Every structure is written in structure tokens, then in C-alpha cells.
Amino acid sequence: MTKELADLLARAEGVLARLETLLPGPAAAPDWDAALAFRWQRRHGRAELRPVRAPHRITLADIQDVDEQKARIDRNTRHFLAGRRANNVLLTGARGTGKSSLVKALLTEYAARGLRLIEVDKTNLVNLPEIVELVAGRPERFILFCDDLSFEEGEDAYKALKSVLDGSVSAMSDNVLIYATSNRRHLMPEYHDENLQTRHVDGELHPGEAVEEKISLSERFGLWISFYPFSQDEYLDIAAHWLRSFGASADEIAAARQEALQWALMRGSRSGRVAWQFARDHAGRLQDDAR
């Protein structure tokens, strides 16, 4: 080897060594005792689990008029905490009906039994294998929470989630489940022309390939929980619950009924979220009047 070639190789090795110091390494484990909930974030090319110091402290009792849905996800979570068989969960349906709140309430209910929550944004779903590896072997039980999940055609995150749920060579750790919420049943937009691809074979209905692809992801969630728009009475029940929790008397709650309906009419929705927003506004005005 000539001296010039040796010098060139030495300089190249030096450059590579400096580049390695700039490349993001694997995420370090956080202080697990610092919080009950964590958020996976990527900054300046480096990923980390950041503690959520003040998680939303909603309880299961605060979530009204979805008793069947509440019972199903609660049972699945208790099985998970007990080390029994449990499913990944997809919560779908009308907006503002308590899908996200239910998942947060589970943390409030079961944190003392070792439940922890890790929020993962859709853009970071490609990092799911890294997150699963990071928590593997921990004594806690982790719910990876993907809120308001939906995909467009060809997104990498779609394939990453699909692989982790069911299609990866390596199995997901026993102390991890994925709970996702979405307004779309199959997590992706559905178009009219896809129905034209459906065909009949010997009396059986066969969806087109595009439809099959969309169904294949949602089917990887073992438990589907559907939420529906609230009736007027259910909406008023929820508004009354929150007014009561904010200190309103029975007479004040009864007097607020018509105003609660007008509030929903202006918002164009009778969701639980709208009921909560009305109750906060009305309770604030009651406090003003009491001064």
C-alpha cells in the first residue's frame, strides 16, 4: 500500500468517526419513576420518551352514557394487567363521544397496578419497533396510545403499524398493547369507485383489492369498539354530570337544560365534548353571579 493511499484511508476513517458522533443513536430509557404517562418525541433527529408531568386526570365515572363500550375496554385492560390474554383495541365512531377520554381514564384507574401510557403520534409510528424494544422486560404494563388515527394512501406509518400489530417476524412484548382511536372504521379514506371493484363469485361477495387492503389493517386490532352520536337525553345527562362535578345545584342544573340545548344547536353537535364545554361555560357564569 502506498503512503498516499494509507493517508487517504486514515483521513476517511477520521471523517466516518466524526459522522458517527453526529448520527442519532438508540433512544435512552427515561426515568420510569418520573411520570405515569410518556410521549414519544423526535427532536433534531433524536428520539426519546418524554415524561408527561401533568396527565389528564379524568376518571371512568366521568365518562357517561357509553357503559357498554366502557365495560369492554375495561375488561380487556384488566385482563392485560393480570397477565392474561388481551387484545389491541380500535375505538371508532362519532367525534366527541369519549374515545380518547376512555383511554386516559384507564390510566387514572389502573396506574397503581402498574399501567403506563405512551402517546405516539401518527408521524412516529415508524418507530414502534424501537418503542416496543425499549419497554420490553419492564415490570410495568404499557398501552401505546395512538389518538385520532387515520392514513392517506401510501403512508409509511400505515405499513409500520400493520407490521407491528401482526405481520412482523418478532412478536410484540407481552407487556405492550396498542389502543388507537379513529373517526374512520378502516383508518383510511373510502371512495365510491372502490365499491365498483366488488365482484360476485358463485353467489359470494368479494371486495376489491383496495378495500381488502384497508380492512386488513383494522382487522389486526382484536377488539373493535364503536361509538355513536348521543341522543338529546344522553347529551343532557352528560351536561348535568359535569355541572354537578363543577358544583352546580340540582335546581341550577334543571334551569340550565334549555340553554344546554341551545348551546348544542349552535355547535351543531350533541357530543360529550360539547356537553363538557357547555358545563364549563355555564359553571363559570354561575360563579360570576354568586359574587
Side-chain angles (χ1 to χ4, degrees):
M1 179 184 298
T2 65
K3 184 177 183 304
E4 291 80 2
L5 181 56
D7 290 343
L8 179 61
L9 290 175
R11 288 197 296 274
E13 289 176 357
V15 171
L16 290 174
R18 288 193 293 273
L19 285 174
E20 286 179 354
T21 63
L22 299 176
L23 292 174
D31 179 2
W32 296 111
D33 296 326
L36 303 176
F38 300 83
R39 183 177 291 113
W40 181 264
Q41 291 184 334
R42 183 172 292 277
R43 293 184 177 180
H44 309 299
R46 293 184 179 273
E48 60 179 342
L49 278 177
R50 296 180 63 85
V52 177
R53 305 291 182 180
H56 188 187
R57 291 289 187 176
I58 191 169
T59 68
L60 288 174
D62 286 329
I63 304 172
Q64 301 286 306
D65 290 285
V66 288
D67 293 342
E68 180 183 350
Q69 295 91 330
K70 187 193 305 187
R72 293 180 67 195
I73 195 170
D74 182 58
R75 181 172 60 248
N76 189 73
T77 305
R78 285 188 283 105
H79 289 173
F80 176 52
L81 291 170
R84 299 199 291 269
R85 301 295 181 184
N87 279 304
N88 299 305
V89 182
L90 177 61
L91 302 94
T92 66
R95 67 184 189 277
T97 48
K99 300 185 295 295
S100 302
S101 295
L102 258 181
V103 179
K104 297 170 187 175
L106 291 170
L107 178 65
T108 305
E109 185 78 13
Y110 296 117
R113 292 176 55 179
L115 185 65
R116 298 294 181 266
L117 196 67
I118 297 177
E119 185 175 3
V120 185
D121 188 72
K122 183 184 76 169
T123 58
N124 292 322
L125 287 178
V126 293
N127 301 127
L128 278 179
E130 187 176 354
I131 301 172
V132 171
E133 184 176 349
L134 191 62
V135 303
R138 292 290 308 173
E140 302 90 352
R141 314 291 282 182
F142 294 91
I143 289 176
L144 305 188
F145 178 40
C146 306
D147 194 21
D148 197 18
L149 193 60
S150 65
F151 300 100
E152 300 303 325
E153 299 288 348
E155 285 194 59
D156 291 338
Y158 172 89
K159 296 179 181 179
L161 178 58
K162 186 176 177 180
S163 176
V164 169
L165 283 170
D166 196 38
S168 176
V169 173
S170 59
M172 195 159 67
S173 176
D174 288 339
N175 68 336
V176 175
L177 283 181
I178 296 176
Y179 284 12
T181 70
S182 179
N183 294 331
R184 293 172 174 170
R185 180 66 178 268
H186 296 308
L187 304 176
M188 296 182 71
E190 300 181 43
Y191 303 103
H192 173 72
D193 61 356
E194 291 173 350
N195 294 324
L196 302 179
Q197 302 172 23
T198 302
R199 65 190 189 281
H200 295 266
V201 179
D202 295 330
E204 291 185 347
L205 193 65
H206 293 262
E209 291 182 1
V211 176
E212 290 280 12
E213 174 69 12
K214 293 175 179 180
I215 294 174
S216 70
L217 176 59
S218 56
E219 280 189 342
R220 281 168 165 76
F221 288 91
L223 185 61
W224 286 5
I225 301 179
S226 299
F227 291 73
Y228 306 98
F230 290 127
S231 68
Q232 176 174 297
D233 287 342
E234 289 170 335
Y235 165 76
L236 290 171
D237 284 344
I238 297 168
H241 167 80
W242 285 116
L243 284 170
R244 195 176 302 112
S245 71
F246 295 150
S249 67
D251 289 342
E252 289 170 334
I253 293 172
R257 176 186 174 91
Q258 190 60 38
E259 191 174 342
L261 293 175
Q262 291 173 350
W263 181 281
L265 185 62
M266 289 188 296
R267 296 296 300 270
S269 171
R270 289 196 299 253
S271 71
R273 183 182 296 118
V274 169
W276 178 76
Q277 292 166 344
F278 163 75
R280 286 177 62 87
D281 178 81
H282 194 76
R285 287 186 282 114
L286 288 175
Q287 291 173 341
D288 282 342
D289 295 340
R291 290 179 180 177

